[in-house]
Amino acid sequence: MPATKDSTRPNRAAARPFTLWREVLTAYAAPALTAGAAGVVTGQADLTLAAATSIAGTSAVVAFLVGTWLHRGGRPRRWTTTLPRVVLTALLVVAATGAAAGLGWLAAQWLPAHTPLPAAPWLQRLRIDLPVSAALATTIITLRWRSTTTKAPRT
């Protein structure tokens, strides 16, 4: 018998409410597991270490910050629900990626030049790890949050 879609039943994403701690945990675990597995399979010890630290850590922090800002005590800002989903996601991704890229540059370039911290290969990884992780986490959290909110009526 062919599978049919029951249109009276809500989809899975809409049925599960936005719970920040669960989203942050997923934002940490998903990149840690995938990048960690890639590091193990390819024999890149630095990628395996970065998977659990800079990659997954950035994803979790960004997911927490963006999720907290979007959720805002359960009362979303009006413009976040009225803007088209793609536009809202793009705006937040550009902001989060820009901030993460600046932080990555600061860690990789400025810190070794102005502090006793020596230049190290793992610092150079941050220039890529931070913005990529921030972009992915922001996209996923924004789309996930938006799928659980109802669109505010226009007045």
Side-chain angles (χ1 to χ4, degrees):
M1 178 188 299
T4 59
K5 185 174 181 179
D6 183 6
S7 62
T8 60
R9 200 168 138 196
N11 68 15
R12 186 170 183 232
R16 199 173 100 208
F18 185 87
T19 307
L20 186 60
W21 71 266
R22 188 180 311 143
E23 303 298 334
V24 171
L25 182 63
T26 303
Y28 181 85
L33 292 173
T34 55
V40 169
V41 168
T42 60
Q44 297 179 41
D46 62 327
L47 178 58
T48 305
L49 179 62
T53 56
S54 63
I55 295 171
T58 301
S59 294
V61 168
V62 169
F64 176 76
L65 293 174
V66 172
T68 300
W69 185 82
L70 283 170
H71 201 55
R72 192 178 146 220
R75 295 170 297 145
R77 291 163 181 80
R78 181 182 171 105
W79 67 271
T80 60
T81 57
T82 57
L83 269 179
R85 185 182 314 197
V86 174
V87 174
L88 174 64
T89 303
L91 286 172
L92 294 179
V93 165
V94 167
T97 304
L103 189 59
W105 172 84
L106 179 75
Q109 300 299 121
W110 190 86
L111 282 177
H114 296 89
T115 66
L117 186 68
W122 66 270
L123 280 173
Q124 295 303 315
R125 283 193 62 88
L126 296 180
R127 294 186 320 172
I128 299 296
D129 289 352
L130 298 186
V132 170
S133 296
L136 291 172
T138 302
T139 301
I140 292 167
I141 287 294
T142 304
L143 293 175
R144 172 74 185 108
W145 174 82
R146 186 63 183 267
S147 72
T148 63
T149 60
T150 57
K151 196 169 188 176
R154 291 183 184 228
T155 56

